[in-house]
Amino acid sequence: MHSTSIILLGSGNVAAHLGPALKKAGYRISQVYSPNLENAAALASRLEARPVNQLEEVSPEADLYLVMLKDDALAEIADKLKLSGKLVIHTAGSGSIELLEACSSRRGVLYPLQTFSRSVPMELSQIPFFIESSVADDLPLIRELAAALSERVYEADSATRKQIHLAAVFASNFTNHMYAIASALMKDADIPFDVLAELMVQTTRKALQTAPLEVQTGPAVRFDAAVLESQLKLLTGNRDWQRIYRNISSDIQRMQVDKRKQD
Amino acid sequence: MHSTSIILLGSGNVAAHLGPALKKAGYRISQVYSPNLENAAALASRLEARPVNQLEEVSPEADLYLVMLKDDALAEIADKLKLSGKLVIHTAGSGSIELLEACSSRRGVLYPLQTFSRSVPMELSQIPFFIESSVADDLPLIRELAAALSERVYEADSATRKQIHLAAVFASNFTNHMYAIASALMKDADIPFDVLAELMVQTTRKALQTAPLEVQTGPAVRFDAAVLESQLKLLTGNRDWQRIYRNISSDIQRMQVDKRKQD
């Protein structure tokens, strides 16, 4: 058993993955806090920890507080939780390290670059973790925590991490939304979504092997006005998708023109 | 050697993949036409075929004409190439089977659902091919051609194929553009693009294992206004990306709200 004891604040997708992994790595999780007691209890029971749903119940005795709440809840924590002298770490990609300034002078960040869904199991060891510390002396402890979870640990300041998080929103959340629209369109055609599987996997593989701008295909990059028009027409029933189609297609063309100027 | 002789019209990404695969499957490729003779010659030399760049030079003696040109070039072909009694097949996802009506009464479609880049080698056998024939008697020949390339051959009429192509544009071209933007943002942060690799692969895997709408994560689906605002601010230098960010984020929220109503 590891000597560092941890309290988790949050019971969402990130906590559901990091909590059990930390326990497996030998850390002792003493409490799980969530404003929703049921959620706290569900995760706490997997970690042999005590669930709490009042910030006043959060013990001041742990070594380390890992805050995995969404940003408006983070602000409430910052207001109400005083843990002076304790190391308080949040996991938010876009949250500055100063976010929990009011909680403690010892602050850190542990940002996993991954999309966590509670129901989808995941191997953490290859996930990049970006760490930061407000106090240089705490960096080894944060690094140790990250290294217990993953082989890929990088230091990054708050500005760099915010930029990485923004890139991740495009590469993951927005990509997934393109899949959601494609899935709805396939349903309209009465064809199973997974007929697109090879195409999706190959698109990702090509982008990583070469560079996305080099391997773009399709009507927009071919400036194929006839197909662009006919596809916009197919989307007549959904103005939001039409707008997205139009904006992305013209941005594909703009970036391609810029690229050719530079080549 | 197969008894069917083929003439390829086009020397782009699709032709560069299908041509060699057909030759390998034993088909004889007699000519490669491209308006650009150099491009025709480059592909023809790999296929032991004769390159031509004038439609008048296209021999009327082949059994089958495979047209892999972009849509405006297809229209020119339809105007100028008369191949009555010959089977003329195009590969365009959004092109109706009537597109080459003027060329011949025997028309077909062979649409590979994949993104082809000349420089990226690819195994065709798992790629879905959608076929269609204007004449029922030709369907077996078109099916044989498709089956020589892939194990996954489906029949689809023009309307269904257009809808599949539209879905593919979202699932592949637009996804790739999200990667292109992510790549540019990572470059700004001075972090290698492939740090996003695990995230990208996992995003695609999750969407296929479950359903994209079920596994969406990120600030938009959390209705995390603070992060949405701060990310829009980071994009201040690029109004096109700001617009894309805003439109996709609000569409993620709209589809999530619709989904919850239905759940």
Side-chain angles (χ1 to χ4, degrees):
Chain A
M1 177 71 83
H2 210 281
S3 63
T4 307
S5 72
I6 302 180
I7 289 179
L8 305 184
L9 296 106
S11 61
N13 292 336
V14 176
H17 283 92
L18 299 199
L22 287 169
K23 184 171 166 56
K24 204 174 154 199
Y27 286 93
R28 186 163 62 82
I29 318 283
S30 60
Q31 291 184 325
V32 175
Y33 162 84
S34 164
N36 178 317
L37 187 60
E38 210 175 312
N39 292 347
L43 180 58
S45 73
R46 297 169 59 197
L47 306 173
E48 297 169 55
R50 197 164 75 84
V52 298
N53 69 336
Q54 303 294 326
L55 283 176
E56 299 71 37
E57 294 177 89
V58 171
S59 159
E61 303 299 326
D63 298 304
L64 198 153
Y65 296 77
L66 193 57
V67 185
M68 297 165 285
L69 292 158
K70 65 175 176 171
D71 284 39
D72 40 354
L74 276 178
E76 202 200 337
I77 295 272
D79 257 17
K80 296 194 183 158
L81 200 64
K82 303 299 162 201
L83 296 161
S84 61
K86 299 292 182 171
L87 182 54
V88 182
I89 297 175
H90 78 66
T91 59
S94 286
S96 157
I97 192 164
E98 302 308 335
L99 210 60
L100 300 175
E101 197 175 3
C103 297
S104 172
S105 58
R106 294 175 59 206
R107 295 178 301 279
V109 180
L110 178 81
Y111 168 54
L113 185 60
Q114 188 52 280
T115 163
F116 295 104
S117 292
R118 212 175 307 235
S119 59
V120 183
M122 188 156 18
E123 175 54 56
L124 299 183
S125 70
Q126 293 309 311
I127 294 173
F129 277 73
F130 293 90
I131 60 169
E132 186 180 6
S133 180
S134 69
V135 176
D137 283 353
D138 284 328
L139 197 59
L141 188 58
I142 300 173
R143 187 182 294 281
E144 188 187 293
L145 189 75
L149 300 169
S150 170
E151 297 166 16
R152 300 176 59 192
V153 179
Y154 308 93
E155 248 186 281
D157 62 23
S158 292
T160 303
R161 189 178 62 254
K162 282 181 195 189
Q163 183 80 0
I164 295 169
H165 185 223
L166 178 60
V169 165
F170 278 91
S172 174
N173 308 145
F174 288 1
T175 286
N176 187 68
H177 192 61
M178 299 301 108
Y179 296 156
I181 295 174
S183 170
L185 293 168
M186 291 295 271
K187 201 175 171 193
D188 286 348
D190 211 16
I191 309 270
F193 177 53
D194 67 5
V195 167
L196 293 170
E198 281 292 315
L199 175 66
M200 290 160 59
V201 169
Q202 174 68 2
T203 299
T204 304
R205 192 185 294 135
K206 275 205 316 192
L208 287 166
Q209 269 175 6
T210 315
L213 268 188
E214 303 292 330
V215 295
Q216 184 59 287
T217 63
V221 80
R222 284 198 312 269
F223 289 78
D224 195 330
V227 171
L228 292 172
E229 262 317 299
S230 95
Q231 296 206 319
L232 276 168
K233 220 165 138 187
L234 277 181
L235 291 168
T236 301
N238 191 317
R239 280 175 175 246
D240 296 307
W241 292 351
Q242 266 190 335
R243 190 179 309 124
I244 287 172
Y245 185 98
R246 208 175 268 124
N247 289 340
I248 297 180
S249 292
S250 72
D251 202 52
I252 288 173
Q253 298 184 336
R254 184 187 63 77
M255 282 179 76
Q256 206 63 218
V257 170
D258 285 355
K259 174 183 164 298
R260 285 175 200 167
K261 275 186 206 150
Q262 282 160 26
D263 280 352
Chain B
M1 177 73 83
H2 210 280
S3 63
T4 307
S5 72
I6 303 180
I7 289 179
L8 305 184
L9 295 105
S11 59
N13 292 337
V14 176
H17 283 91
L18 299 200
L22 287 169
K23 185 171 167 55
K24 203 174 155 197
Y27 286 93
R28 187 163 62 81
I29 318 282
S30 59
Q31 292 184 325
V32 174
Y33 162 83
S34 165
N36 178 318
L37 188 60
E38 210 175 313
N39 292 347
L43 180 56
S45 74
R46 297 170 57 197
L47 306 174
E48 298 170 56
R50 196 162 77 83
V52 298
N53 70 335
Q54 302 293 326
L55 282 176
E56 298 72 35
E57 293 177 88
V58 171
S59 160
E61 304 299 327
D63 298 305
L64 198 152
Y65 296 77
L66 194 56
V67 184
M68 297 165 285
L69 292 157
K70 66 175 176 169
D71 283 39
D72 39 355
L74 276 177
E76 203 201 337
I77 296 272
D79 257 16
K80 297 194 182 159
L81 200 64
K82 301 302 162 197
L83 297 161
S84 61
K86 299 291 182 171
L87 182 53
V88 183
I89 296 176
H90 79 66
T91 59
S94 286
S96 157
I97 191 165
E98 303 308 335
L99 210 60
L100 300 175
E101 196 174 5
C103 297
S104 172
S105 58
R106 295 174 58 205
R107 295 178 302 279
V109 180
L110 177 81
Y111 167 55
L113 185 60
Q114 188 49 278
T115 163
F116 295 105
S117 294
R118 214 176 306 234
S119 58
V120 184
M122 188 158 15
E123 176 54 54
L124 300 182
S125 70
Q126 293 309 309
I127 294 174
F129 277 73
F130 293 90
I131 60 169
E132 186 179 6
S133 180
S134 68
V135 176
D137 284 354
D138 284 329
L139 197 60
L141 189 59
I142 300 173
R143 188 182 293 282
E144 188 187 294
L145 190 76
L149 299 170
S150 170
E151 297 166 16
R152 301 176 60 191
V153 179
Y154 307 92
E155 249 187 281
D157 61 22
S158 293
T160 304
R161 189 179 62 254
K162 281 180 196 191
Q163 183 80 0
I164 295 169
H165 185 221
L166 179 59
V169 164
F170 279 92
S172 174
N173 308 144
F174 288 1
T175 286
N176 187 68
H177 192 60
M178 298 301 109
Y179 295 157
I181 296 174
S183 169
L185 294 169
M186 290 295 271
K187 202 175 170 192
D188 286 348
D190 211 15
I191 308 270
F193 176 54
D194 67 6
V195 167
L196 293 170
E198 280 294 315
L199 174 66
M200 290 160 59
V201 169
Q202 172 69 4
T203 299
T204 304
R205 192 185 294 135
K206 273 203 320 190
L208 286 167
Q209 270 175 7
T210 316
L213 268 188
E214 303 292 331
V215 293
Q216 184 59 286
T217 63
V221 81
R222 283 198 314 267
F223 289 78
D224 194 330
V227 171
L228 292 173
E229 263 316 299
S230 95
Q231 296 206 320
L232 276 169
K233 220 164 138 188
L234 277 181
L235 291 169
T236 301
N238 191 318
R239 282 176 174 244
D240 297 305
W241 293 352
Q242 266 190 335
R243 190 179 310 126
I244 288 172
Y245 186 98
R246 210 175 267 123
N247 289 340
I248 298 180
S249 293
S250 72
D251 202 51
I252 288 173
Q253 298 184 336
R254 184 187 62 79
M255 283 180 75
Q256 206 62 216
V257 169
D258 285 356
K259 175 183 163 296
R260 286 175 200 167
K261 275 185 205 153
Q262 281 160 28
D263 280 353

